């Protein structure tokens, strides 16, 4: 892909996306836990259902396409790299699922009105000149059926620039990957020179990513025929100044329909879990712990669900953390544990075991640190994401009987 029409900057695709080097150096961050969280995010924000046709655009080695297929989606994965697709086929065969793998260019998709949903994740957008990036979105819109949904996930430009680091180094034994970054404010591109030293060999390449702001993405979506329905972060919470990654979700407009516009306060689809729990999770992931507590308490009064009760107390622990009261944090975490442990290992799409493990780490950590207060407590006790895993929702849980928020 060197010579993409993007000015004087090269994009040495084959050097940057060599499957062996890429997977070797990225393996430490592409963990099964991360994959699981991203699958849950895609499934939830796209409001997917088993049997729907889904396009994974720039699918790589199938790390999301394969688990989505195991959940019942009819997945097609497109990528430029034959090497990545070979690994994807191997993983699909190992998991015993069928995925259609297609080698191709995202600027020229061979489908029209075929997919119920599509997604592009892990900063796989912005590799071309602006007009070609727009062409990618137009190709996506053409591949979607009317009303089809599209999710784009990338780095959040504000966060990148606020924490700008000119170098990024990954070491694995004697092997090293070095990325030297340069920000071009005129083109809005992050330009990177990559050096790989592995097994005594040195390889170099250059690439760039166009980092769009949310308003710029909203304009591109509109021009492509996609109506933005919401901006989110990597947890599914509404995008905020504190977000590290950016997720934008849009929907293909029927012919003749004008854009109504989306907002940063967009709410993820709630049909995957009961409405009260969906609203609780939206507020919780936005850091609005007291409001999330209040919303779910109303549902708890109607349902008397001990699961809801445990989540209410968990949210209260974070209210105490933000107020800087360590004993309140420990008491609430311990009490939440008593309610939630009866629902292990998982319930209503939530990983209860992970919650209990978090509690079991944090209670002694706060106590051993001498019950620190204020900012010290807030630094000690991190946020706990609660992603919804669609395969863990049975649909017959008693909480479904209450659908009033």
């Amino acid at each position: 892909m060197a010579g993409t029409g993007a000015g004087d900057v090269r994009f040495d695709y084959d050097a940057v996306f060599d499957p062996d080097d890429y997977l070797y150096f990225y393996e430490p961050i592409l963990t099964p836990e991360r994959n699981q969280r991203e699958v849950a995010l895609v499934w939830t924000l796209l409001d997917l259902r088993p049997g729907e046709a889904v396009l994974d655009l720039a699918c790589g080695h199938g790390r999301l396409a394969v688990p989505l297929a195991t959940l019942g989606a009819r997945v097609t994965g497109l990528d430029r790299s034959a090497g990545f697709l070979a690994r994807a086929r191997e993983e699909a065969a190992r998991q015993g699922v069928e995925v259609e793998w297609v080698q191709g260019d995202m600027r020229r998709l061979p489908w029209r009105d075929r997919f119920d949903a599509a997604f592009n994740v892990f900063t796989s957008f912005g590799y071309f000149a602006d007009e070609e990036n727009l062409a990618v979105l137009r190709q996506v819109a053409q591949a979607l059926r009317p009303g089809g949904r599209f999710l784009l996930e990338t780095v959040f430009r504000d966060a990148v620039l606020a924490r700008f680091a000119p170098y990024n180094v990954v070491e694995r034994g004697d092997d090293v990957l070095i990325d030297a970054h340069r920000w071009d404010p005129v083109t809005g591109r992050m330009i990177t020179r990559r050096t790989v030293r592995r097994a005594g060999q040195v390889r170099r390449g250059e690439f760039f990513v166009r980092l769009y702001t949310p308003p710029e993405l909203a304009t591109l979506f509109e021009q492509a025929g996609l109506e933005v329905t919401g901006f989110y972060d990597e947890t599914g919470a509404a995008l905020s100044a504190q977000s590290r990654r950016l997720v934008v979700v849009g929907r293909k407009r029927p012919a003749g329909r004008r854009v109504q516009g989306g907002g940063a306060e967009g709410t993820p689809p709630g049909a995957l879990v009961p409405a009260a729990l969906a609203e609780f999770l939206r507020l919780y992931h936005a850091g609005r712990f007291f409001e999330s507590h209040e919303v779910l308490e109303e549902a708890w009064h109607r349902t008397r669900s001990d699961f809801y009760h445990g989540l209410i107390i968990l949210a209260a622990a974070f209210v105490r953390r933000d107020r800087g009261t360590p004993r309140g944090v420990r008491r609430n975490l311990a009490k939440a544990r008593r309610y939630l442990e009866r629902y292990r290992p998982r319930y209503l799409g939530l990983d209860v075991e992970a919650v209990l493990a978090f509690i079991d780490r944090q209670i002694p950590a706060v106590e051993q640190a001498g019950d620190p207060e204020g900012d010290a407590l807030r630094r000690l006790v991190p946020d706990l994401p609660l992603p919804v895993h669609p395969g863990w929702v049975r649909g017959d849980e008693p909480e479904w009987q209450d659908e009033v928020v």
Side-chain angles (χ1 to χ4, degrees), residues 36 344-346 350-361 384-387 389 392:
Q36 192 177 65
R344 65 198 317 172
R346 56 189 68 96
L350 300 187
D351 190 341
V352 177
E353 288 288 1
V355 175
L356 298 180
F358 174 87
I359 291 172
D360 291 343
R361 289 193 304 271
L384 171 65
L386 296 175
H389 302 270
W392 298 348

Side-chain angles (χ1 to χ4, degrees), residues 236-270:
L239 188 70
S240 72
Q242 290 72 45
S243 299
R244 289 183 175 270
R245 297 190 68 83
L246 180 154
V247 181
V248 56
V249 179
R251 186 178 296 271
K252 181 177 179 177
R253 298 195 307 271
R257 180 178 171 189
R258 298 188 62 186
V259 176
Q260 300 300 314
E265 288 294 327
T267 303

Side-chain angles (χ1 to χ4, degrees), residues 49-113:
R49 293 291 180 267
E52 288 193 308
V54 181
L55 172 63
D56 183 350
L57 192 65
C59 64
H61 60 294
R63 69 184 185 91
L64 300 192
V66 172
L68 284 169
T70 67
L71 294 173
R74 294 186 293 112
V75 182
T76 297
L78 179 135
D79 203 273
R80 180 189 185 277
S81 168
F84 275 115
L85 290 173
R87 287 162 174 77
R89 290 188 182 94
E90 291 172 1
E91 181 61 18
R94 193 178 72 83
Q95 296 288 340
V97 296
E98 290 187 9
V99 177
E100 180 187 14
W101 305 109
V102 178
Q103 185 176 4
D105 188 325
M106 65 173 69
R107 294 167 293 182
R108 291 179 288 276
L109 301 182
W111 305 288
R112 295 293 180 270
D113 299 321

Side-chain angles (χ1 to χ4, degrees), residues 139-357:
Q139 289 289 296
V140 169
Q142 290 178 8
L144 290 172
R145 294 170 179 154
R149 296 91 67 197
F150 177 57
L151 179 150
L152 175 65
E153 188 267 355
T154 186
V155 293
F156 185 26
R157 173 170 161 167
D158 291 8
V160 170
L161 297 183
R163 305 174 178 87
F164 179 74
Y167 293 96
N168 180 59
V169 180
V170 179
E171 294 181 285
R172 299 199 69 181
D174 294 330
D175 303 322
V176 63
L177 178 150
I178 303 171
D179 281 342
H181 304 295
R182 174 171 63 87
W183 170 246
D184 184 344
V186 176
T187 61
R189 294 188 189 127
M190 188 66 70
I191 301 167
T192 302
R193 291 184 180 274
R194 172 166 291 178
T195 301
V196 172
R197 188 186 70 203
R198 183 180 175 200
Q201 300 293 317
V202 177
R203 289 176 286 278
R204 294 182 175 89
E206 185 176 67
F207 66 100
F208 64 88
V209 179
R210 172 69 157 94
L211 301 184
Y212 291 99
T213 65
E216 287 175 326
L217 283 172
T219 298
L220 287 176
F221 270 51
E222 177 181 353
Q223 292 173 341
L226 297 164
E227 178 182 352
V228 170
T229 59
F231 286 99
Y232 310 94
D233 67 14
E234 66 275 16
T235 71
L239 188 70
S240 72
Q242 290 72 45
S243 299
R244 289 183 175 270
R245 297 190 68 83
L246 180 154
V247 181
V248 56
V249 179
R251 186 178 296 271
K252 181 177 179 177
R253 298 195 307 271
R257 180 178 171 189
R258 298 188 62 186
V259 176
Q260 300 300 314
E265 288 294 327
T267 303
L272 183 60
V273 295
L277 179 57
E279 180 65 4
F280 166 84
L281 292 171
R282 185 183 75 85
L283 295 168
Y284 174 95
H285 285 132
R288 295 157 63 180
F289 300 112
F290 183 79
E291 293 174 73
S292 71
H293 169 290
E294 294 291 297
V295 164
L296 205 58
E297 191 164 31
E298 293 180 16
W300 174 72
H301 283 300
R302 295 190 297 268
T303 64
R304 292 296 171 180
S305 164
D306 283 344
F307 184 66
Y308 282 178
H309 201 177
L311 293 178
I312 290 166
I313 299 167
L314 179 67
F318 287 102
V319 173
R320 296 291 187 181
R321 179 205 65 179
D322 290 347
R323 292 177 179 173
T325 54
R327 290 183 178 84
V329 171
R330 290 196 286 112
R331 281 197 300 268
N332 278 294
L333 288 178
K335 189 174 180 182
R337 194 188 201 291
R338 290 197 293 272
Y339 283 98
L340 293 174
E341 64 181 354
R342 66 195 68 173
Y343 293 94
R344 65 198 317 172
R346 56 189 68 96
Y347 189 73
L348 271 174
L350 300 187
D351 190 341
V352 177
E353 288 288 1
V355 175
L356 298 180

Side-chain angles (χ1 to χ4, degrees), residues 16-31 35 59-63 81 83-88 90 122 170 172 177 194 198:
V16 172
F17 292 109
D18 174 81
D20 290 333
D21 285 343
Y22 186 94
L23 295 176
Y24 177 73
F25 284 107
Y26 278 78
E27 184 181 32
I29 65 171
L30 296 180
T31 63
N35 297 344
C59 64
H61 60 294
R63 69 184 185 91
S81 168
F84 275 115
L85 290 173
R87 287 162 174 77
E90 291 172 1
F122 204 55
V170 179
R172 299 199 69 181
L177 178 150
R194 172 166 291 178
R198 183 180 175 200

Side-chain angles (χ1 to χ4, degrees), residues 321-326 372-379:
R321 179 205 65 179
D322 290 347
R323 292 177 179 173
T325 54
E373 299 179 349
D375 288 340
L377 179 63
R378 287 187 282 273
R379 288 193 297 269

